């Protein structure tokens, strides 16, 4: 990125019994395009006595994108879906007017050593779709466009860019692109991007304007059309962004909306336990955290 507007460092955050590195939202940058929340999970090794367990919790007004580098998560939701996600695939859940889901270590791995590493992302919905019916899609790794140019491996995880379209059924103009370098070289793809752009460095390093950037940093570009940078050999980065919504978005815990009144309604609905339930997990849930300002 030839013009870096902001550098965001990972900050520790807790999701259930698991610590993650939070990238978005940031106090000085709430969104990048429609992307409103990004967590880096792991990498972590868990013993046979440790498991990943995020109890049933609700969402409204957003789509969640789960993408793993290592490990496995069993997704269950109030629509009746029960599906395991593994590295390279995408779980895309659109909450709309309301959905409840849980994320856990699959039963067959619960008593063995295991690793977990991945990204969990929220994408805000356009205002006219914030109250749509909830949906869930699992996109296999074979459905994700992958290609190689000049010893650079590309993968279009979601959205549209570089003349390609991912099978992930997004609802706004956006992109999430994996880029892996085999050698040190300059990457020039600004003309392929649009809207706002952010870069997350997973492995290796990136050089821009004589500055070196390392893993666990999120770089925000001043102008996505000027996106040019040098990747060191064996580096891996994730570019994400897209067109900015005209309306502001607000976050209350796991809820996203352009309306504070809708957030308040969702909050009270969850406190009263009037969201739909997950079959077999009816008596488990994450309480609304009282520390959040109402």
């Amino acid at each position: 990125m030839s013009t870096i507007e902001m550098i965001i460092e990972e900050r520790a955050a807790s999701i259930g019994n698991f610590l993650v590195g939070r990238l978005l939202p940031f106090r000085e940058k709430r969104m990048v395009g429609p992307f409103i929340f990004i967590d880096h999970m792991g990498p972590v090794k868990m013993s046979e006595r440790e498991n990943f367990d995020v109890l049933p919790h609700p969402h409204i007004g957003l789509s969640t994108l789960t993408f793993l580098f290592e490990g496995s998560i069993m997704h269950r939701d109030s629509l009746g879906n029960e599906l395991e996600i593994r590295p390279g695939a995408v779980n895309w859940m659109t909450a709309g007017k309301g959905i409840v889901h849980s994320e856990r270590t699959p039963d067959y791995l619960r008593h063995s050593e295991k690793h977990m590493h991945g990204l969990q992302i929220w994408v805000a919905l356009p205002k006219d779709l914030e109250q749509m019916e909830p949906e869930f899609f699992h996109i296999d790794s074979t459905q994700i466009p992958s290609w190689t140019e000049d010893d650079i491996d590309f993968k279009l995880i979601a959205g549209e860019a570089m003349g390609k379209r991912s099978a992930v059924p997004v609802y706004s103009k956006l992109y999430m692109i994996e880029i892996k370098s085999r050698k040190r070289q300059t990457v020039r793809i600004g003309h392929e991007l649009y809207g706002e752009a952010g870069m997350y460095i997973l492995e290796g390093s990136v050089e821009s304007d004589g500055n070196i950037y390392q893993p666990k940093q999120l770089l925000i570009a001043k102008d996505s059309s000027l996106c040019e940078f040098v990747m060191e050999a064996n580096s891996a980065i994730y570019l994400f962004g897209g067109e900015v919504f005209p309306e502001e978005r607000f976050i209350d815990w796991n809820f996203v909306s352009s309306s504070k009144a809708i957030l308040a309604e969702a909050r009270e609905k969850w406190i009263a336990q009037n969201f739909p339930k997950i079959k077999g997990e009816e008596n488990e849930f994450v309480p609304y955290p009282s520390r959040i300002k109402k």
Side-chain angles (χ1 to χ4, degrees), residues 55-80:
L55 299 182
H57 58 282
H59 292 288
I60 68 164
L62 56 86
S63 295
T64 63
L65 187 157
T66 303
F67 186 77
L68 297 181
F69 311 126
E70 291 183 277
S72 177
I73 296 176
M74 180 61 71
H75 164 97
R76 296 183 179 91
D77 64 42
S78 53
L79 298 177

Side-chain angles (χ1 to χ4, degrees), residues 6 8 25-31:
M6 186 179 298
I8 301 174
F26 184 62
R27 63 183 178 275
E28 297 174 16
K29 186 64 177 174
R30 309 301 296 177
M31 299 175 68

Side-chain angles (χ1 to χ4, degrees), residues 47 64 77 122 132 148 162 195 208 241 245 262 288:
S47 73
T64 63
D77 64 42
W122 296 358
M132 67 180 283
T148 299
M162 305 179 75
S208 178
F245 292 138
I262 290 177
Y288 179 85

Side-chain angles (χ1 to χ4, degrees), residues 28 57 59 117 121 128 151 192 194:
E28 297 174 16
H57 58 282
H59 292 288
H117 193 196
I121 293 169
D128 61 342
D151 292 322
E192 302 281 2
Y194 49 89

